[in-house]
Amino acid sequence: MTEKGTGGVSSPRTPLKSILTAKAKAKGIPHDVDGTVKAQTLEELHSLQRKRSAPNTPLQGTPTAFVNLSEDERQRLQLQSISASLASGTRGTGPKVVRGDPGGCKSRAVTHVAHHHVEAPVISVSDSALKFTHVLYNLSPGELYEQALKYEKGSFLTSSGAVATLSGAKTGRSPRDKRVVIDDITQDELWWGKGSPNIEMDEHTFMVNRERAVDYLNSLEKVFVNDQFLNWDPKNRIKVRIVSCRAYHSLFMHNMCIRPTIEELENFGTPDFTIYNAGQFPCNRYTHYMTSSTSIDINLTRKEMVILGTQYAGEMKKGLFSLMHYLMPKRQILSLHSGCNMGKGGDVALFFGLSGTGKTTLSTDHNRFLIGDDEHCWSDDGVSNIEGGCYAKCIDLSKEKEPDIWNAIKFGTVLENVVFDEHTREVDYADKSVTENTRAAYPIEFIPNAKIPCVGPHPKNVILLACDAFGVLPPVSKLSLAQTMYHFISGYTALVAGTVDDIKEPTATFSACFGAAFLMLHPTKYAAMLAEKMQKHGATGWLVNTGWCGGSYGTGNRIKLSYTRKIIDSIHSGNLWNATYEKTKVFGLEIPSEIEGVPAEILRPENAWTDKEAYMSTLLKLAGLFKNNFETFMEYKIGEDNKLTEEIRAAGPIF
C-alpha cells in the first residue's frame, strides 16, 4: 500500500495487543471490543457511575432509636425529623419533604408530621402544603460544588480548587441586629444591660420571625439540611441541624462543624439545636424590635436560631458559639474564644487575643500540634475544640507569610468575597474591592499538624495577647492569678490608623473575655471559672504585647514577629518560669530581665523610649482607660465570696 504523500511503500502496522479479562479470554473476546454496559437507559447508566457509601466501622455506645432499622425505615424517620423541624408554628405540622435534588428521578417522600415543639390549631390547607420540599441532606463537598456552580450566581471555581462565592450585601456580622429571647429562664441567667451584646426580644416576636423564615424555606423547591456536631469531647458534644437555602451555607457549615461518620449520621435522631437560615429573605421592618431588614434571633428555651436578611455565613458560626457560651457553663465547662496548640510532650497552651494581635499566627506553630484556632472548651478532662474547621482571614494572604492557610485553600474550601482573575481564576488576596473581610473556611484536617481528634490535656500556659499601639506594655509579663483574671476580663488591644475608618491615633478597645460579642453570661462568671481551672491544674498566665515599643504608633516600632516567637518559644519550653523578674510601675507587671534572642532594651518599655516624660504620660493615660473600663464589672461578685473580686480589683493599675 502506498503511503499518502510519498511514493514509497510503508511497512505493515503492528496492531495494539488487546487486553482480555478472565471471562473475555475464555470467550476469546478482547476487553475493548463489544463493550456493552448493563443499562437500558441513560438514567441507569448514570446510576452505575455513582456508588453509595456504606458503613465500615462498628457502632459504639448505647444503641439509638435508629439502630437495627432497615435503610428505608431509617431514611423515613430522618425525613420525619426534618419535616418536624420545618413545621409551622400555626399549622402545627411539617411540610411534605422528599429527599434528593429536584432534578433527580427517584426520591423518598414523607407526608405531614406533627411539630414537636408547639400545639397549634390546624388551619385550612395552603398552596405550600400541597407541594413537596426537596431536602438535600448532608451533601458532600463535591455535590455542594455542583449545586453552587450550577444554581448560585457569583459562585466560581478558582485555580486552587476552592469555590469562591459572595455573601451578598452583608460582608460581616450584624451585631446590632442580633436578638436573644428574654423569658422566665433567660431573664435571670443571661447578661443584660450596659456592655452586654444581648439585645432582648420577646417570644411572640421570635415566633413571627421564625414563621417568616420557615414559610420562606418551605416555599422553595429545595433546601439544604446539615446534621453535625459541636465539641470534639464525645461526652459533651451537641447535635446541631442547619436548614439553609444556599449550597454556600451548607458547605460552609460542613467545613466549620464536626462532620459525623456515616454511622453517626444514620443514628443522629433529634437535634439539640436548629438553625433556620433564610438569609436571602428580609425580616418585616414593622415587626416589633426590628431596626433593619436583618435579624439574627436566638431562642435558648426553644433551642432555635433564625436568620433573616443577611447571607453572611459567619452569623451561623458565631450564633452556635453563643449557644456554647450558654450551654457549657451549665455543665461546669468553660467555653473560650481562643486558639490552642499542644507540644510534642503534651503541654497545651491557650492563646487569647482580639483581631490584629497575632492569635492565629502564633497558635499555628510547625513544631506544635494545632488543636484549634478559635473556639474551645475546658472541662474536667482537658481541652477540646468546639469546631471542625478554621475560618481564616484572607486579606493580603501570601504563601510566604501563612503557608498553612495558603495550602489549605484547595478543593473543599469556601472563599468568601474574594476577587479573582476572570480568565485564570487566580485569587488576588490584596484586592479589597468587595470587602476587607475576605475569608476562607476549610476543615481543620487541611492543616498538616492538626491534632485529630481535636482534644488535649489541661493547659499549662494561658497567653493573653495585646497589640498595644500606645507602646507602654512590655513584650512579655508573667501574671499572677488575679492579674490574669483582670486582663482576661478587660480583653484589651488598640486600634491604629488604617484598621478602622477615622482612626488617627491609637485607640484602646476592650472586649470582655476577648470575645464580648458572643458572651451569654456575665464576663465575671467566665473569669471565675478560668481562675478555678488555672488554680486547680497549675496553669500560668502571661501577657504578651505584639504591638509597639520605643514609642506609640507613629513614633515607635512594631515589635518584630521573630522576637515574639522567641518569647512564645521560651514560654512553651519553660525557660521563662525560672527567669529573674522585676516589677513595672503602675501596672505592677513582672517582666524577665533577659530572654535568649530578644534584645534586652525592649523588655522594659521605658528603656526603649527616649522621651521618658512622654512614656509616663502615655502609661498613665492607658492605665486610666483600663480603670474606667473595669468599673463596669465591679458591681458583680466573682466566685462564691467577694474575696476574688477584691483581689482582681487590686491587680489592676495603681496610680
Side-chain angles (χ1 to χ4, degrees):
M1 181 177 178
T2 303
E3 190 173 323
K4 187 175 180 180
T6 68
V9 178
S10 64
S11 59
R13 295 179 180 177
T14 302
L16 292 174
K17 187 176 180 179
S18 297
I19 302 173
L20 303 181
T21 62
K23 188 173 181 180
K25 285 179 181 177
K27 293 184 177 182
I29 303 174
H31 187 69
D32 56 356
V33 176
D34 193 24
T36 305
V37 298
K38 296 178 181 179
Q40 302 301 315
T41 65
L42 282 175
E43 177 187 316
E44 291 183 26
L45 176 59
H46 292 161
S47 70
L48 293 175
Q49 186 183 28
R50 304 183 300 271
K51 67 177 182 179
R52 176 172 295 177
S53 300
N56 53 19
T57 57
L59 290 170
Q60 298 179 354
T62 305
T64 67
F66 284 9
V67 177
N68 299 324
L69 296 177
S70 67
E71 183 178 348
D72 286 348
E73 181 66 12
R74 183 179 289 113
Q75 287 194 15
R76 187 184 69 82
L77 291 174
Q78 284 179 337
L79 287 174
Q80 281 189 350
S81 176
I82 293 169
S83 178
S85 293
L86 286 168
S88 163
T90 55
R91 286 184 287 275
T93 58
K96 296 176 181 178
V97 293
V98 59
R99 188 166 178 170
D101 194 312
C105 52
K106 291 184 179 180
S107 300
R108 170 166 294 281
V110 63
T111 55
H112 293 296
V113 297
H115 194 335
H116 57 285
H117 276 309
V118 297
E119 294 181 5
V122 177
I123 62 175
S124 58
V125 70
S126 64
D127 287 341
S128 63
L130 297 176
K131 64 177 280 294
F132 281 103
T133 299
H134 289 257
V135 174
L136 302 182
Y137 183 68
N138 273 61
L139 297 189
S140 68
E143 293 170 310
L144 291 168
Y145 264 48
E146 292 169 359
Q147 291 288 325
L149 296 174
K150 186 175 182 180
Y151 299 111
E152 296 183 8
K153 189 175 182 180
S155 294
F156 296 90
L157 191 64
T158 64
S159 60
S160 67
V163 63
T165 188
L166 295 172
S167 64
K170 299 295 180 74
T171 58
R173 290 184 298 105
S174 303
R176 293 185 181 88
D177 297 310
K178 179 184 173 184
R179 302 288 183 269
V180 181
V181 173
I182 185 169
D183 54 30
D184 293 341
I185 297 175
T186 59
Q187 182 175 2
D188 297 326
E189 287 185 336
L190 301 193
W191 177 25
W192 305 103
K194 184 179 179 181
S196 170
N198 302 314
I199 306 172
E200 69 179 62
M201 75 185 311
D202 58 35
E203 171 79 11
H204 174 76
T205 305
F206 175 85
M207 292 305 296
V208 169
N209 281 356
R210 182 191 186 278
E211 192 76 357
R212 190 172 177 89
V214 167
D215 281 349
Y216 173 72
L217 292 166
N218 288 339
S219 73
L220 301 175
E221 191 175 25
K222 64 186 177 186
V223 295
F224 298 88
V225 176
N226 292 45
D227 281 348
Q228 295 183 252
F229 298 117
L230 299 177
N231 198 353
W232 282 85
D233 176 2
K235 294 193 300 185
N236 293 290
R237 73 181 182 184
I238 303 298
K239 297 186 294 183
V240 294
R241 171 168 292 165
I242 303 100
V243 185
S244 59
C245 46
R246 290 192 62 182
Y248 148 50
H249 291 150
S250 185
L251 181 57
F252 177 90
M253 295 308 283
H254 170 88
N255 289 348
M256 295 310 303
C257 294
I258 299 168
R259 294 157 289 283
T261 64
I262 295 173
E263 294 76 23
E264 290 170 336
L265 193 59
E266 288 181 340
N267 299 282
F268 192 83
T270 303
D272 300 315
F273 193 82
T274 302
I275 294 178
Y276 300 98
N277 188 343
Q280 288 179 299
F281 198 63
C283 67
N284 187 336
R285 289 290 299 270
Y286 286 99
T287 304
H288 192 36
Y289 296 102
M290 299 300 102
T291 53
S292 75
S293 60
T294 298
S295 191
I296 304 99
D297 311 324
I298 298 176
N299 190 324
L300 294 170
T301 303
R302 287 182 60 88
K303 303 175 183 177
E304 293 178 337
M305 177 179 177
V306 170
I307 298 175
L308 290 165
T310 174
Q311 298 179 62
Y312 181 65
E315 295 288 8
M316 295 182 288
K317 165 186 160 67
K318 290 307 184 183
L320 291 177
F321 189 33
S322 295
L323 170 72
M324 296 298 279
H325 269 317
Y326 174 72
L327 293 180
M328 291 299 102
K330 285 177 169 289
R331 304 183 186 187
Q332 302 306 309
I333 297 171
L334 176 60
S335 47
L336 301 165
H337 189 213
S338 69
C340 182
N341 65 25
M342 185 180 79
K344 296 175 182 178
D347 58 297
V348 169
L350 293 173
F351 292 81
F352 294 90
L354 301 176
S355 180
T357 59
K359 180 183 70 172
T360 301
T361 300
L362 295 173
S363 61
T364 303
D365 187 333
H366 290 170
N367 296 315
R368 297 173 66 83
F369 298 107
L370 179 68
I371 293 177
D373 75 329
D374 195 43
E375 303 173 8
H376 293 87
C377 288
W378 188 351
S379 71
D380 289 339
D381 297 324
V383 293
S384 58
N385 190 350
I386 290 175
E387 301 179 298
C390 301
Y391 193 34
K393 291 182 179 179
C394 289
I395 195 67
D396 295 325
L397 178 68
S398 68
K399 189 173 183 179
E400 294 71 29
K401 292 180 180 178
E402 300 284 358
D404 285 343
I405 296 175
W406 179 276
N407 293 327
I409 299 176
K410 56 186 179 181
F411 181 84
T413 296
V414 177
L415 283 172
E416 278 184 336
N417 301 315
V418 298
V419 177
F420 52 86
D421 185 279
E422 63 179 357
H423 175 60
T424 66
R425 295 295 195 266
E426 291 184 0
V427 177
D428 182 356
Y429 292 108
D431 196 316
K432 307 174 185 177
S433 298
V434 179
T435 178
E436 190 169 337
N437 188 35
T438 53
R439 296 271 184 165
Y442 48 85
I444 193 167
E445 56 265 29
F446 282 14
I447 299 296
N449 61 329
K451 184 182 182 300
I452 307 295
C454 303
V455 296
H458 296 288
K460 187 176 180 181
N461 293 295
V462 174
I463 301 171
L464 312 182
L465 301 171
C467 178
D468 176 31
F470 291 91
V472 294
L473 292 182
V476 61
S477 313
K478 186 168 73 170
L479 304 175
S480 66
L481 185 63
Q483 285 177 321
T484 304
M485 296 310 101
Y486 182 89
H487 288 279
F488 175 70
I489 294 173
S490 297
Y492 163 72
T493 194
L495 302 176
V496 297
T499 58
V500 176
D501 291 343
D502 300 325
I503 295 293
K504 305 300 181 184
E505 60 181 22
T507 303
T509 182
F510 298 92
S511 182
C513 306
F514 294 93
F518 321 118
L519 300 182
M520 284 292 181
L521 311 180
H522 194 272
T524 54
K525 295 186 178 181
Y526 300 102
M529 292 184 69
L530 180 60
E532 185 271 331
K533 291 186 179 297
M534 287 184 65
Q535 195 167 35
K536 181 177 180 180
H537 301 290
T540 303
W542 306 87
L543 179 64
V544 174
N545 174 22
T546 62
W548 274 254
C549 67
S552 299
Y553 172 80
T555 58
N557 298 304
R558 185 80 187 258
I559 298 172
K560 292 182 179 180
L561 178 60
S562 60
Y563 295 160
T564 302
R565 286 198 181 279
K566 289 285 187 183
I567 290 169
I568 299 297
D569 288 344
S570 295
I571 292 173
H572 290 324
S573 68
N575 290 340
L576 280 188
W577 292 358
N578 302 317
T580 302
Y581 288 87
E582 51 185 324
K583 185 172 289 189
T584 66
K585 298 177 181 179
V586 182
F587 278 90
L589 299 172
E590 297 281 345
I591 60 174
S593 57
E594 61 177 347
I595 300 175
E596 185 178 354
V598 180
E601 60 270 17
I602 74 169
L603 293 177
R604 195 169 186 94
E606 62 265 36
N607 292 343
W609 282 62
T610 53
D611 188 337
K612 307 302 181 183
E613 290 186 5
Y615 163 77
M616 183 55 66
S617 174
T618 306
L619 178 65
L620 292 175
K621 177 182 178 181
L622 181 61
L625 295 173
F626 264 88
K627 184 176 181 180
N628 292 338
N629 171 74
F630 208 80
E631 288 300 320
T632 307
F633 307 112
M634 294 320 299
E635 60 191 75
Y636 287 82
K637 182 178 72 174
I638 305 174
E640 295 181 358
D641 53 37
N642 208 42
K643 181 180 178 182
L644 186 57
T645 308
E646 295 304 320
E647 288 180 358
I648 293 175
R649 183 196 294 270
I654 300 174
F655 58 101

